[in-house]
Amino acid sequence: MGLFKRNKNNNRPLIRQIIDLVPRHIFQGCISQHQTDKGVFRYRTYDQFVAQTFGQLNKCYTLEDISAGIAVNKTFIAGLGLSQSPARSTMSDGNKKRSYKVFESLYYKLLRHYEGILRSKGQSAIIEEVKHKTIKIVDSTTISMCLGLFNRAKFRTAKGGLKIHTAWDDSLCLPDLINVTAGRMADVKGHPNRLYPKSTIVIGVTLILP
């Protein structure tokens, strides 16, 4: 299935069509690599992926929103490939116990899988000075967390936080590096590999909020 093809004669929910862009053999390879379904009989890795994708696409603020949204009717649940809508407590346990590494691996494998298509569809700005050069836009964002609950997320004396360091590839129109660290990590140290190929232009972004 082409990444950008549309099929009007499709009875599957839109979110299922998006999820189906993830080849199952790639997903299963990540699950096997990280053993995230070992000893799990309910709320498997695929179920978590569907639930979190639903939450992101529908801008759900809580796990209760996700559970209630998926449970809208049995036909929709079946259309997502689920046996039932996951309960809030089940999702909470899954998010706590399952390693995020399985989804990190999935992201980078999908990036390689679709790289050619993404590059051909990219709309990079045509500027003569940077023509034929790779442009990386480097930035970070901090997510505040309760230090009492997440004591490993060191940020400030009485406040916890995670920092997401991102390098955006302009030709892909997607980040090709994402690194999650404790909130106190300096931006200049947030990328494990700061060596870029020759002819790469690195742009640092500074966002000042009012």
Side-chain angles (χ1 to χ4, degrees):
M1 178 175 60
L3 179 59
F4 296 96
K5 288 183 179 179
R6 295 182 180 179
N7 186 351
K8 294 182 179 179
N9 299 318
N10 197 325
N11 293 323
R12 294 174 300 164
L14 179 58
I15 183 175
R16 178 60 186 272
Q17 296 178 51
I18 294 173
I19 290 171
D20 284 348
L21 292 173
V22 179
R24 290 303 293 265
H25 71 279
I26 293 180
F27 199 176
Q28 190 58 50
C30 296
I31 294 171
S32 299
Q33 177 186 350
H34 296 282
Q35 295 291 295
T36 51
D37 277 348
K38 185 176 181 180
V40 177
F41 300 99
R42 297 179 57 191
Y43 201 58
R44 300 170 72 86
T45 308
Y46 174 81
D47 301 337
Q48 185 179 17
F49 176 66
V50 172
Q52 297 303 314
T53 301
F54 177 89
Q56 288 291 324
L57 294 179
N58 290 279
K59 298 182 180 180
C60 296
Y61 291 102
T62 66
L63 296 179
E64 186 65 38
D65 291 343
I66 297 175
S67 180
I70 293 177
V72 61
N73 63 57
K74 293 182 179 180
T75 302
F76 182 65
I77 295 173
L80 294 180
L82 302 176
S83 59
Q84 62 183 11
S85 175
R88 180 183 61 182
S89 58
T90 303
M91 286 188 284
S92 179
D93 291 341
N95 292 346
K96 184 187 302 181
K97 296 177 182 178
R98 181 169 286 120
S99 172
Y100 72 92
K101 289 288 186 180
V102 63
F103 300 112
E104 181 180 65
S105 298
L106 178 64
Y107 177 85
Y108 288 118
K109 288 183 179 181
L110 286 176
L111 192 63
R112 290 193 295 270
H113 180 74
Y114 284 119
E115 187 173 15
I117 297 175
L118 291 169
R119 288 191 186 281
S120 67
K121 297 292 181 179
Q123 299 294 323
S124 301
I126 303 175
I127 303 174
E128 199 62 34
E129 289 80 2
V130 298
K131 197 172 182 180
H132 307 305
K133 290 182 171 61
T134 300
I135 300 174
K136 301 284 186 181
I137 302 174
V138 179
D139 194 15
S140 69
T141 185
T142 302
I143 301 175
S144 298
M145 305 180 73
C146 175
L147 189 58
L149 294 176
F150 303 95
N151 56 12
R152 296 176 61 187
K154 303 294 185 181
F155 183 34
R156 294 174 182 164
T157 303
K159 188 176 182 179
L162 292 177
K163 185 173 283 188
I164 302 175
H165 306 265
T166 305
W168 180 277
D169 188 304
D170 187 61
S171 62
L172 285 175
C173 295
L174 280 174
D176 64 352
L177 185 146
I178 298 174
N179 188 34
V180 181
T181 68
R184 63 172 55 172
M185 177 68 72
D187 287 358
V188 295
K189 298 180 180 179
H191 296 278
N193 181 11
R194 299 194 299 275
L195 298 177
Y196 296 99
K198 187 178 179 180
S199 300
T200 299
I201 297 175
V202 180
I203 302 173
V205 177
T206 300
L207 180 62
I208 301 176
L209 298 176

